[in-house]
């Protein structure tokens, strides 16, 4: 019985580690979700191998245990690779507050609470995904955020929505693929005397063939045309550990915080996956990134970011 249990654990862990390991050889979209879950999956493999060691110690068990630790440690290191922490001096720079939230397109019963949460958030800039429930509340939102793109302004649909307390200049709207239209907005806003490029994005799920990678490449190309401070937020449906997400961050020069808050699924709480992100390109640096305490009926938690506008003004 002990032998059979040890073998079963080793076989399962071997398969999981082999699947994760494909990212280092030739990543495939079929395993994209697992790549985003590398930290979770590898940590579970570590626990499973501790159990296997308690059942029966063998060279192969120790080997799998070491491999599980290696994959877990590398996931932690990858999560920190794109972190940029402002120095004490930079933390004193003027700041801008950004709210990013996928509110869920059929979440109509909580629309009133969401509107009040947005209006009372203190955010200067807001990016909303799946914004259909807010259509009938636009006049109320306009009292706090008189400028917008989406829900009838440039974009007829009420899906991707950008709100601002200051004028939104030269907005560009693009469809990143044929699956969902107009889920990329790039515009300029002026906050604290500095002009910032603001991007709101919502990509498809990574298991829809190779569309997720294609959308990220198209988004990176569009972002590369923007010069100066850049702030990107949205629902990427993948963690920053995924190979295509890491390529996106390298191409765009975007940075994030050392430990991104988990946003999905909400039932998992702090053990969930950070698939909603706020990224910044220097001279902007993320001073703080926190998860909203209440999901207001969505299947995602929203994010509130405070961004330090570092560097000398042009």
């Amino acid at each position: 019985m002990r032998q059979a249990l040890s073998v079963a654990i080793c076989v399962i862990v071997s398969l999981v580690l082999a699947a994760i390991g494909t990212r280092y050889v030739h990543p495939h979209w079929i395993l994209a979700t697992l790549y985003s879950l590398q930290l979770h999956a590898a940590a579970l493999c570590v626990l499973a191998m501790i159990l296997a060691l308690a059942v029966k110690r063998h060279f192969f068990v120790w080997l799998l245990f070491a491999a599980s630790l290696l994959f877990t440690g590398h996931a932690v290191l990858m999560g920190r690779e794109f972190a940029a922490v402002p120095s004490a001096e930079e933390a004193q720079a003027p700041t801008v507050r950004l709210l990013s939230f996928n509110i869920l397109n059929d979440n109509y019963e909580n629309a009133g609470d969401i509107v009040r949460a947005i209006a009372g958030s203190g955010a200067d800039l807001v990016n909303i995904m799946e914004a259909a429930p807010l259509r009938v509340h636009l006049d109320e939102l306009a009292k706090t955020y008189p400028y917008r793109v989406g829900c009838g302004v440039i974009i007829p649909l009420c899906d991707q929505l950008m709100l601002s307390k200051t004028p939104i200049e030269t907005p560009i709207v693009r469809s990143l693929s044929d699956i969902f239209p107009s889920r990329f907005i790039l515009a300029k806003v002026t906050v604290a005397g500095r002009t910032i490029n603001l991007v709101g994005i919502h990509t498809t799920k990574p298991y829809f063939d190779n569309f997720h990678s294609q959308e990220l490449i198209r988004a990176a190309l569009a972002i590369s045309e923007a010069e100066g401070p850049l702030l990107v937020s949205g629902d990427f449906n993948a963690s920053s550990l995924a190979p295509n997400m890491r390529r996106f961050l390298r191409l765009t020069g975007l940075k994030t915080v050392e430990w991104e808050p988990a946003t999905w699924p909400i039932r998992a709480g702090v053990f969930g996956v950070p698939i909603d992100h706020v990224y910044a390109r220097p001279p902007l640096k993320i001073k703080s990134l926190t998860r909203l305490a209440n999901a207001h009926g969505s299947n995602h938690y929203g994010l509130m970011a405070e961004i330090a506008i570092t560097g000398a003004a042009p």
Side-chain angles (χ1 to χ4, degrees), residues 37-90:
L37 288 166
Q38 177 168 335
L39 180 59
H40 297 70
L44 287 174
C45 286
V46 170
L47 295 176
M49 294 319 300
I50 291 174
L51 176 60
L53 286 168
V55 173
K56 185 174 181 179
R57 297 183 183 182
H58 185 273
F59 171 75
F60 189 62
V61 178
W62 282 108
L63 182 63
L64 288 176
F65 179 57
S68 300
L69 286 174
L70 180 64
F71 280 14
T72 302
H74 189 227
V76 173
L77 291 176
M78 286 192 295
R80 293 174 175 268
E81 181 179 346
F82 296 101
V85 181
S87 64
E89 182 179 350
E90 290 174 331

Side-chain angles (χ1 to χ4, degrees), residues 175-179 203-204 208-221 244 247-248:
S175 297
L176 298 177
S177 71
D178 296 331
I179 298 181
T203 62
T204 60
F208 287 170
D209 205 324
N210 208 33
F211 283 102
H212 189 261
S213 292
Q214 293 173 2
E215 290 185 354
L216 288 175
I217 290 172
R218 290 169 181 166
L221 291 172
N244 57 358
R247 178 178 59 192
F248 170 77

Side-chain angles (χ1 to χ4, degrees), residues 102-106 127-132 149-150 155 157-162 172-186 199-205 208 212 215-216 219 232-237 300:
N102 182 339
I103 66 169
L104 194 61
N105 58 13
D106 59 355
N127 277 325
I128 299 294
M129 284 65 65
E130 302 189 23
V149 173
I155 305 174
L157 301 173
C158 208
D159 185 19
Q160 192 71 21
L161 176 64
M162 179 180 290
I172 298 171
V173 176
R174 295 189 180 182
S175 297
L176 298 177
S177 71
D178 296 331
I179 298 181
F180 294 105
S182 307
R183 282 191 164 182
F184 176 92
I185 303 174
L186 167 62
V199 172
I201 185 172
H202 187 184
T203 62
T204 60
K205 294 176 173 61
F208 287 170
H212 189 261
E215 290 185 354
L216 288 175
V232 179
S233 71
D235 176 7
F236 286 79
N237 278 303
H300 292 244

